Amino acid sequence: MSSPTDLIQALSSLPHGSEFRFIDELVELNPGVSAKAVWKLKGDEEFLRGHFPGAPLMPGVLMIEALAQLGGILVQTRPGEAPLKNLRLTAVRQIKILGSITPGQSLHLSGALQGMLGTLGQVSGEIRDDVGQVILTGAVTLAGEN
């Protein structure tokens, strides 16, 4: 398990600006192995204006992005390995979107690094809502450069 300082440092390894970061808090990290995080849908996010007017709902594609961001933290924190440059989402696999959240609710993310092949990393995970219901499962592939 990591210290609070390690968790903050790992979260800061994401290249995304705050406007496109879908992780508010990294709550658990076993570097390069597994992680848990939380992100709250506040209700003032710009994308909610059109998704959907009068009944805002977290877009599934952004939930996939949240899982990819958690995966990025796992790939970048592998013990004894230098962080990869230009790490990007390159594939989504076996994604199932089973639900969503509305403003005021949170995504509860968990992920595990399944393996690395050179500069490609496979991360599986799931997202639950505030009451523990699974709303997304699947895997993402991330690619970077040495």
Side-chain angles (χ1 to χ4, degrees), residues 22 39 41 44-52 57-59 62:
F22 298 105
W39 181 76
L41 184 63
D44 60 354
E45 293 84 359
E46 187 67 26
F47 59 80
L48 286 178
R49 287 188 24 202
H51 198 268
F52 296 96
L57 181 67
M58 179 71 179
L62 295 180

Side-chain angles (χ1 to χ4, degrees), residues 29-95:
L29 176 64
N30 185 353
V33 177
S34 63
K36 292 183 179 182
V38 177
W39 181 76
K40 184 172 185 171
L41 184 63
K42 295 160 208 61
D44 60 354
E45 293 84 359
E46 187 67 26
F47 59 80
L48 286 178
R49 287 188 24 202
H51 198 268
F52 296 96
L57 181 67
M58 179 71 179
V61 69
L62 295 180
M63 291 191 292
I64 295 168
E65 173 63 24
L67 181 59
Q69 289 181 15
L70 186 64
I73 291 170
L74 287 170
V75 169
Q76 298 295 57
T77 61
R78 293 172 296 142
E81 300 290 334
L84 298 173
K85 297 177 188 124
N86 301 315
L87 188 64
R88 302 282 188 265
L89 174 63
T90 57
V92 294
R93 300 175 47 100
Q94 303 168 336
I95 294 290

Side-chain angles (χ1 to χ4, degrees), residues 19 46 49 51 68 108 135 137:
E19 307 83 4
E46 187 67 26
R49 287 188 24 202
H51 198 268
H108 299 267
I135 58 175
T137 64

Side-chain angles (χ1 to χ4, degrees), residues 118-137:
T119 59
L120 290 173
Q122 177 90 13
V123 176
S124 65
E126 68 178 22
I127 300 175
R128 294 179 180 265
D129 63 15
D130 287 331
V131 296
Q133 294 290 333
V134 175
I135 58 175
L136 182 141
T137 64

